[in-house]
Amino acid sequence: MFSATVRQKPVPFPECFSDVDEYVESTLDFISSSELFQKICGGVHILEFLTQDPDLYTALLPSDWRQFFESRDLVAILDLLLRDGLPSQEPSGRSAAPFYQESRTLDGLGAPDSLFHYIKQIRQHILDRQKDSSLCNNNLALPRHVAVGMNSKKMHEVSNLSAYVDNLVSDLSSQNPGHISHLVDFGSGQNYLGRALASPAYNKKVIAIESKPLNIDGARSMDVTAKLAKKEVILRNKKQYRSEQKPEKHSSGNIGQAFDAVQLRDAMPVGDTTARNPCPEQPTKSARTEEDSNIQYIQSIIQGGDLSSLLPYMDKSSTSSLRLLVVSLHSCGNLLHHGLRSLVINPSVHAVALVGCCYNLLTERLPPPSSQGASLRSPNLRLEQTSSACDPHGFPISERLANYKHRNGSTGIRFNVTARMMAVQAPGNWTEKECNSFFTRHFYRALFQKILVDKGVVDAEVADSEDILGKRGGSPKVNPIVLGSLRKACYTSFILYVRAAIEKLKADPNHASSIEQHLADLTDEEILRYETEYGHKKKQLSIVWSLMAFSAQVVESVIVVDRWQWLREQREVKECWVENIFDYGISPRNLVVVGVKG
């Protein structure tokens, strides 16, 4: 199943390219040379939509695009970006059907040539996200006691990835009997994947590595429900136990010491003489006996993929018998990079099969570019901090992307945190109800930001910078307040939203005094005037947000290709590939990166 003769492509690139290298080169050239793409993906932020002059909609989009969009409703515009000209197909697994109209060809829709060309460029550089029907066609339905705690999305992911890993192990074993002895789950969380693989259907030996002890405790409890572990019987003197649980009286000067003592005592499992690991960087073996179980838990933070310090905890007989396959379901940020590196660093790791997510949590490997490039962003502290991380474990991980030469002579592929955040969107799954909801949320937040700037809550001093036309001029230096989410009921009207936002910020000691000083006299009538004056901007903001999500599909494709390319560059790796293993309509982060050592 996994042999090169069966797998036609190492990466699911579009059919318009003859081979993967042609696709990679074309994609890297496009993202490094298209100023419009760079502005849309990372060069703008919705929070600044109404605080700049001209506003982002006017500054970002060509005039003929804006004229065309004015004559179309949002449904038609989303059809144009995501649906028109594509083969008619319904994303499966959705409770509500997508609201796109019948498929039409892009020709003859009246769109400007430049818009038509941009849509085609984005589409042809997005990896194919349709699951291959031949993959995991023998995956088993999870028994209810094994699927404990899972929602329908998690069940889909676990059942498909479990079957995929089982097939991979079988294929490797057919070439080399006994090739894989244990599966190691990086960042196992509640261990849904490991529990399914350890169940009788697959009967795999699983080593679950997790940094949070609460997750391990919860996973152990579910192991009991899944009949993979026996319930621990605790015999204790109840009277003595209750007396020990009562906090002792201490003088005020020793409150901190008393708190530490209670924490340490409560962290010690009953019957165990060793405290829970206070430093997760150092591994801690599971306190409960697991000799009769297929699952073993190790509490540790994974750094760089080196498992040498964990090997003594993994095998009870001899470390020489370990032949590991590292797996992970939706590794956040750099964790997937650590999983990839484990294949090369550790002689005992023979293969990896990893599904990533949360690209916004990736760090950045390359130093900031010498020039700002195509961007409409105001100076932003978070962008400066994240772009200056220079983390060797960050993006890009491959040398090809890190050393890629742009047409203008600059080096390296970079995506800032905004571009990576947009890459976790799934515009192909949007429904009309969902669009109305999050377009309203984004518009309210942008309009509230306008109020904060106008009232002087947010610093809007003019910074001397260079605008997109190369002219010297002023642009507002906005340091936005992080508001976070509000209750659903707050989004039923802008007045309710503003009042709820103000109350939340007044409870924050960092902003309370400023809010009281500048917004104390803000009336409902004034709030309503803002909504009336800028209400027509909601459609424009929705268009920009849709373009950002549509274009960021290329960002996700490049991040995944970068991981595959890194495996390809390692002399120890015999074979590597990327495949879709989940239904995109159910779980859009559906690409598994696989590497097999020679």
Side-chain angles (χ1 to χ4, degrees):
M1 176 179 177
F2 298 98
S3 63
T5 56
V6 175
R7 190 178 54 262
Q8 297 179 353
K9 296 179 180 179
V11 173
F13 58 85
E15 295 295 337
C16 58
F17 296 98
S18 59
D19 58 49
V20 66
D21 286 308
E22 182 185 8
Y23 165 74
V24 173
E25 182 59 34
S26 176
T27 303
L28 298 183
D29 179 66
F30 168 67
I31 65 175
S32 63
S33 61
S34 170
E35 287 193 2
L36 182 57
F37 173 82
Q38 293 167 16
K39 293 173 189 174
I40 292 175
C41 288
V44 295
H45 196 286
I46 290 299
L47 209 58
E48 299 175 331
F49 194 80
L50 301 173
T51 61
Q52 296 189 355
D53 186 19
D55 61 38
L56 284 185
Y57 186 72
T58 303
L60 175 65
L61 301 182
S63 59
D64 55 346
W65 288 31
R66 300 197 304 271
Q67 292 173 7
F68 172 76
F69 289 147
E70 287 174 5
S71 65
R72 301 292 192 276
D73 61 27
L74 273 176
V75 172
I77 293 170
L78 288 168
D79 280 340
L80 176 66
L81 297 178
L82 302 166
R83 181 74 169 176
D84 288 334
L86 297 177
S88 243
Q89 57 189 10
E90 291 290 335
S92 59
R94 299 286 290 175
S95 58
F99 61 99
Y100 309 124
Q101 308 299 320
E102 291 185 5
S103 178
R104 301 163 291 181
T105 60
L106 288 176
D107 299 300
L109 290 177
D113 289 342
S114 58
L115 175 58
F116 175 83
H117 180 63
Y118 182 78
I119 293 172
K120 290 187 66 175
Q121 284 183 308
I122 293 296
R123 289 184 181 183
Q124 75 179 17
H125 292 112
I126 299 172
L127 292 177
D128 180 14
R129 306 306 294 274
Q130 294 299 313
K131 178 185 173 186
D132 187 342
S133 58
S134 66
L135 292 179
C136 309
N137 52 13
N138 63 334
N139 58 315
L140 304 174
L142 298 174
R144 290 184 62 183
H145 63 279
V146 174
V148 60
M150 301 185 199
N151 57 23
S152 58
K153 176 176 178 288
K154 183 63 66 176
M155 289 180 65
H156 174 82
E157 294 165 349
V158 170
S159 61
N160 279 274
L161 185 53
S162 296
Y164 188 90
V165 170
D166 182 60
N167 289 337
L168 177 59
V169 171
S170 298
D171 185 77
L172 295 175
S173 297
S174 67
Q175 304 172 26
N176 185 0
H179 190 71
I180 300 299
S181 65
H182 295 73
L183 306 179
V184 179
D185 189 353
F186 270 27
S188 58
Q190 297 290 317
N191 199 32
Y192 295 121
L193 176 62
R195 189 171 302 109
L197 287 165
S199 67
Y202 301 112
N203 201 32
K204 297 292 188 291
K205 294 284 187 181
V206 176
I207 301 169
I209 302 177
E210 170 60 33
S211 64
K212 298 179 180 178
L214 285 178
N215 282 341
I216 294 177
D217 289 343
R220 285 205 195 96
S221 298
M222 285 187 278
D223 290 345
V224 174
T225 304
K227 302 177 182 179
L228 296 175
K230 294 180 180 179
K231 186 174 182 179
E232 185 178 21
V233 178
I234 301 175
L235 300 177
R236 60 163 66 101
N237 184 314
K238 291 185 179 179
K239 185 178 295 186
Q240 179 182 353
Y241 174 76
R242 288 170 181 166
S243 66
E244 290 175 351
Q245 298 304 303
K246 294 180 180 178
E248 300 176 14
K249 295 182 179 180
H250 296 268
S251 64
S252 59
N254 293 327
I255 289 178
Q257 296 178 3
F259 179 73
D260 292 340
V262 171
Q263 276 194 320
L264 180 61
R265 182 197 67 208
D266 291 343
M268 294 174 62
V270 176
D272 186 22
T273 58
T274 303
R276 182 73 55 86
N277 183 12
C279 182
E281 286 81 358
Q282 298 299 321
T284 296
K285 190 176 180 180
S286 171
R288 300 179 185 176
T289 57
E290 294 165 343
E291 285 79 1
D292 298 328
S293 174
N294 279 348
I295 304 175
Q296 180 187 4
Y297 294 96
I298 297 177
Q299 182 197 344
S300 180
I301 290 179
I302 300 166
Q303 297 283 5
D306 186 359
L307 301 179
S308 58
S309 63
L310 304 184
L311 291 179
Y313 297 86
M314 288 185 180
D315 189 52
K316 299 179 179 62
S317 55
S318 171
T319 56
S320 62
S321 65
L322 288 174
R323 297 176 300 279
L324 307 176
L325 165 60
V326 173
V327 299
S328 190
L329 174 55
H330 289 155
S331 307
C332 288
N334 289 359
L335 182 58
L336 190 138
H337 292 176
H338 300 327
L340 294 177
R341 293 182 189 278
S342 71
L343 180 62
V344 175
I345 295 174
N346 306 282
S348 57
V349 177
H350 291 257
V352 295
L354 310 164
V355 182
C357 72
C358 302
Y359 308 123
N360 54 301
L361 298 180
L362 285 168
T363 57
E364 298 179 33
R365 172 186 173 186
L366 302 179
S370 55
S371 61
Q372 186 181 17
S375 176
L376 301 177
R377 300 290 293 272
S378 302
N380 185 289
L381 181 60
R382 186 186 184 194
L383 286 181
E384 293 174 3
Q385 291 174 337
T386 56
S387 65
S388 302
C390 297
D391 185 351
H393 301 294
F395 172 86
I397 189 174
S398 71
E399 294 305 313
R400 181 170 186 177
L401 270 70
N403 298 314
Y404 183 79
K405 298 293 183 182
H406 299 213
R407 294 183 188 180
N408 63 7
S410 58
T411 303
I413 299 297
R414 297 169 176 84
F415 292 131
N416 65 22
V417 64
T418 304
R420 301 195 309 273
M421 178 72 78
M422 294 304 300
V424 300
Q425 295 293 318
N429 290 342
W430 288 355
T431 64
E432 185 171 11
K433 182 179 179 181
E434 290 170 342
C435 284
N436 290 335
S437 175
F438 57 69
F439 287 158
T440 297
R441 292 200 307 270
H442 295 314
F443 174 66
Y444 281 0
R445 182 62 184 91
L447 190 52
F448 182 58
Q449 186 73 11
K450 174 66 173 172
I451 294 176
L452 295 178
V453 171
D454 289 350
K455 295 294 184 179
V457 177
V458 171
D459 178 21
E461 66 178 292
V462 175
D464 188 21
S465 60
E466 186 166 303
D467 65 17
I468 57 172
L469 300 177
K471 301 175 183 178
R472 305 298 295 182
S475 62
K477 184 179 182 180
V478 179
N479 296 315
I481 292 174
V482 177
L483 179 61
S485 60
L486 299 174
R487 292 182 295 107
K488 188 176 181 180
C490 299
Y491 295 94
T492 54
S493 78
F494 185 55
I495 292 177
L496 288 176
Y497 175 87
V498 171
R499 293 304 178 197
I502 290 175
E503 289 303 312
K504 184 172 182 179
L505 293 177
K506 284 166 65 176
D508 186 341
N510 295 320
H511 305 298
S513 61
S514 179
I515 293 294
E516 289 281 5
Q517 177 185 353
H518 296 94
L519 299 182
D521 59 349
L522 183 67
T523 65
D524 287 354
E525 290 74 20
E526 189 174 4
I527 296 171
L528 188 58
R529 283 199 300 271
Y530 268 93
E531 185 176 19
T532 302
E533 180 179 355
Y534 294 98
H536 68 286
K537 297 288 186 180
K538 180 179 178 181
K539 177 184 174 182
Q540 298 175 0
L541 180 146
S542 303
I543 291 170
V544 171
W545 177 266
S546 300
L547 282 167
M548 291 168 67
F550 168 65
S551 304
Q553 294 175 100
V554 178
V555 175
E556 179 177 24
S557 297
V558 172
I559 290 173
V560 173
V561 165
D562 174 54
R563 295 164 172 180
W564 167 80
Q565 178 65 34
W566 184 87
L567 286 170
R568 192 187 191 194
E569 293 170 356
Q570 311 309 308
R571 58 182 179 82
E572 297 90 346
V573 177
K574 176 183 178 182
E575 192 176 3
C576 54
W577 65 89
V578 175
E579 289 180 301
N580 293 285
I581 60 170
F582 306 141
D583 187 325
Y584 182 88
I586 300 175
S587 181
R589 308 283 81 78
N590 65 345
L591 293 164
V592 62
V593 182
V594 182
V596 179
K597 193 179 292 183

